[in-house]
Amino acid sequence: MRKTTTVAALLACVASAPLAAKEGMFTPQQLPEIADDLRATGLELDPEALSDLTGFPMGAIVSLGGCSASFVSPEGLVVTNHHCARGSVQYNSTAENNYLENGFLAKTKGAEVPAAPGSRIYVTTALTDVTDRVRAGTDALSPTDRYDTVEQRLKDITAECEEKAGYRCQVANFYGGAEYTLIERLEVRDVRLVYAPADSVGKYGGDIDNWMWPRHTGDFSFYRAYVAPDGSAADYAEENVPYQPEHHLKVSASGLDKGDFVMVAGYPGSTSRYALLAEVENTFGWNYPTFQTLLTEWIGTIEDAAPAGSDARVKYESRLAGLNNYEKNLRGQIDGARRVGLVDRRRAREAELARWIAADPSRANYGTAIAQLNALAEESAQAARTSFWYGNATRPQLLGAAQRLYRLSKEREKPNAQRESGYQDRDLTFFRQGLQALDRRYDPVVDKAEWLLFLNGYIQQPAAERVPAFDKALGLTPQTTAADLPGLLDSYYADTTLGDTETRLALMEADPATFEASDDPFIELAVALYDYDRGLEDAAEELAGRSLALRPAYMDAITQWQRSEGQLTYPDANSTLRITYGNVMGGSPFDGMQYLPFTTLEGITQKDTGEEPFNAPQRELDLIEAKDYGKYELDSINSVPVNFMSDLDVTGGNSGSATLNAKGQLVGLLFDGTFESVNSDWDFDPRTTRSIHVDSRYMLWVMDKVDGAQALIEEMDIVE
Ligand code: ARG
């Protein structure tokens, strides 16, 4: 869109910030290609430098696996979002020391506490293109063989890379299987919680303000990476020492204002910008609305079965937060798809692409691939529909545990290198932690209420969408009604022994015969469903194998076509490092509404009711009342900026990402997008897409004035 603007129009715009958001989650390697636009937008660093992942500033950017983060001191201090570290705050909280309520601050390194089990900091150390090795000779294979061959190569490449102790490797797939990159990462396993403000700052506004603007959330926390004294990655041990990163970010205490250049470097999870019309239609015509309705009922079911204040509610709090976040996101996506006319826009894009293909006979093979991909999309949609209710009806947590354990016993009969991913030796630490975590996340009364909700949906489906093995095992017949269900489930919860952690863990060593002889009802069900589930998996792999053969051609067509229009195609998000850049700006998301780019401390007081989630600490309210801004004031708003908005292109997984200014200094952390932005996962809407950041000045103000975290401020390089 920007590319077609005339020079005159561009010049006319120079004084004011652009009004439309900047699409593009670019890989670091792509940045030299858009160096001119990066400079024109305001970057002062050399764009080439940004493509060096182990140089400055990219060497400071890390992944937490699911969230993004960055080093901000030479002593391994890592800053991320509060909502990314909150599990660790919860893990360390007790009734007497409720850090969620009071916040947590280690005054010395010795007072830092282990993060929740499974917490990791991944530091990228090398990238290698392994496309040729992964794809060699696969074009001639059947879809299933192709899938299997590629999977085996990915496992082999990963295993070779992980021969280096302390490293966790991953092969990422770009453009639907056109390119593969091996990512070698140091896996920091001793992660400690350093500082997290109270929920009343870090989660201010809670689910009400989630995905919304104006926003006043102090969504930041600090971890520290620890390694063995020799510098290698190690499990938690008292003698471990802070990791010394090669690069860390300087933190800005001033400078950012409306219109300024900002960029975000982080790990966006997944987008579907190149999905075909058939995929869009199925998702928005059926999948999303169906699931959004179910999510609403699911949330209500948990809230009823685990009333606020109950012990069960504590166990389900994190699940509820996740479901609420997801439900609101889906609602925003459905809304956004209607607003932009997603289906019609996709139909139009496909027609344009078809015209481009038709214009040159040498492009005919693209047309063939797209037609086959469309047929594949229809088949995948049908398969997804058929397994939707079965998938939900098999959600009970102990059934899931039984299924994974039985599968592990079967996979264990194969050599490690050939086991399904998730069941190899490298996966077993996480496997064990998953079984342990159930302790804190499972309550039989709530689980049964959830199961009833899903089964009620399942029994209403036509015969063709039911699963005979499941019906038989549960005793469901065409005559079964909702009223019969509770009675059918009682024995599961009364007779299972899987609620006991030691029992679950011991089953990690059991052989298949042990499961097959078991009379635990959830294990019996898992065994009864095993063959059907493998059939589903085989069918899914066949579809995936066909997609691997077709999607690269489709993406090649998109890339060539967009290039002919003067656009650079970037790959869909895939949890690898991306850079997005643009400017600080407000926006007008819908008729009659104007968003300003900054919120202020006073906005906190305005929202405050004293009741969660609008219950800022009294100390904070007093400081605001006294206008005690210190050196963190932004003159143009006469206050300390709390959150700010930009036109950057981000999605889930970007949470915790460093927001950098033109010099590569940390000016904030990305933590959310607006409700009107979430549909950009499918179709970037430049008019309404805005991302939400916590301002570094608010972070420093809270640390300095509210929480007394001066030692951490001193540890960082603060630039004025
Ligand atoms: N919307 C944020 C994201 O998906 C998560 C915010 C979590 N906070 C909450 N109140 N649920 O990145």
Side-chain angles (χ1 to χ4, degrees), residues 171-473:
V171 182
N173 166 345
F174 293 83
Y175 304 110
E179 292 172 19
Y180 294 86
T181 303
L182 170 65
I183 306 167
E184 177 195 283
R185 307 171 303 177
L186 180 73
E187 180 186 28
V188 174
R189 309 202 296 275
D190 185 351
V191 179
R192 300 189 197 172
L193 181 65
V194 176
Y195 165 53
D199 270 3
S200 56
V201 171
K203 208 187 167 181
Y204 194 75
D207 284 333
I208 298 172
D209 275 6
N210 190 24
W211 302 115
M212 304 298 250
W213 187 261
R215 194 66 163 275
H216 300 85
T217 309
D219 203 346
F220 67 96
S221 288
F222 290 84
Y223 277 143
R224 193 185 303 278
Y226 280 82
V227 289
D230 67 2
S232 63
D235 288 325
Y236 173 88
E238 217 170 311
E239 83 254 21
N240 285 352
V241 296
Y243 172 73
Q244 303 193 332
E246 282 192 43
H247 300 281
H248 66 271
L249 301 173
K250 294 188 163 93
V251 179
S252 172
S254 60
L256 196 65
D257 206 342
K258 186 177 168 187
D260 284 353
F261 174 90
V262 277
M263 63 182 169
V264 151
Y267 293 81
S270 100
T271 53
S272 308
R273 301 258 164 92
Y274 308 105
L276 291 156
L277 175 63
E279 294 164 326
V280 168
E281 278 180 322
N282 179 57
T283 303
F284 286 88
W286 183 79
N287 186 294
Y288 277 10
T290 310
F291 197 47
Q292 190 258 328
T293 305
L294 181 63
L295 278 169
T296 307
E297 291 168 1
W298 189 358
I299 291 165
T301 300
I302 297 177
E303 285 174 345
D304 288 348
S310 65
D311 287 350
R313 176 59 76 87
V314 176
K315 292 184 168 168
Y316 283 77
E317 211 226 351
S318 127
R319 170 171 269 189
L320 273 178
L323 295 178
N324 273 308
N325 189 44
Y326 195 20
E327 188 279 328
K328 202 163 175 183
N329 177 296
L330 284 189
R331 206 160 9 104
Q333 299 215 45
I334 293 164
D335 233 51
R338 187 177 42 75
R339 184 187 65 237
V340 301
L342 172 61
V343 170
D344 289 340
R345 278 172 53 82
R346 193 54 50 100
R347 187 177 290 116
R349 182 171 97 185
E350 235 144 80
E352 266 186 78
L353 177 62
R355 271 196 294 280
W356 177 83
I357 292 171
D360 182 341
S362 74
R363 298 174 190 152
N365 59 321
Y366 291 141
T368 316
I370 292 171
Q372 289 174 354
L373 216 41
N374 271 316
L376 180 65
E378 293 298 349
E379 274 182 65
S380 302
Q382 191 51 53
R385 252 175 124 111
T386 306
S387 53
F388 179 83
W389 283 105
Y390 171 67
N392 282 303
T394 51
R395 275 189 197 271
Q397 294 193 59
L398 299 186
L399 173 59
Q403 288 178 303
R404 289 195 301 280
L405 284 162
Y406 182 47
R407 179 86 188 262
L408 178 64
S409 74
K410 297 264 209 183
E411 294 292 332
R412 272 229 158 107
E413 296 181 326
K414 304 179 201 164
N416 181 49
Q418 272 138 52
R419 289 187 217 153
E420 189 67 21
S421 126
Y423 297 89
Q424 294 187 294
D425 291 340
R426 69 191 289 273
D427 302 309
L428 295 186
T429 303
F430 287 105
F431 194 103
R432 185 172 297 108
Q433 275 161 357
L435 289 176
Q436 269 161 344
L438 231 139
D439 261 7
R440 292 163 180 265
R441 302 200 180 134
Y442 169 75
D443 178 275
V445 173
V446 185
D447 196 79
K448 186 178 170 193
E450 292 176 281
W451 203 8
L452 281 173
L453 170 73
F454 299 132
L455 282 176
N456 258 320
Y458 174 81
I459 60 169
Q460 287 165 44
Q461 303 314 307
E465 296 187 8
R466 306 255 307 241
V467 174
F470 184 69
D471 288 354
K472 179 158 173 264

Side-chain angles (χ1 to χ4, degrees), residues 480-554:
T480 306
T481 65
D484 304 324
L485 292 174
L488 290 176
L489 304 191
D490 281 339
S491 63
Y492 281 88
Y493 294 92
D495 299 341
T496 186
T497 57
L498 292 175
D500 175 58
T501 309
E502 291 314 313
T503 305
R504 288 194 302 275
L505 292 178
L507 285 169
M508 281 184 74
E509 313 302 328
D511 61 1
T514 307
F515 290 92
E516 284 144 20
S518 169
D519 56 9
D520 184 288
F522 281 115
I523 295 179
E524 285 179 31
L525 185 55
V527 171
L529 299 178
Y530 188 83
D531 288 338
Y532 179 79
D533 288 344
R534 292 297 72 70
L536 279 185
E537 194 171 273
D538 290 346
E541 290 176 0
E542 200 264 345
L543 293 175
R546 279 159 61 193
S547 171
L548 285 178
L550 300 169
R551 207 166 277 266
Y554 165 61

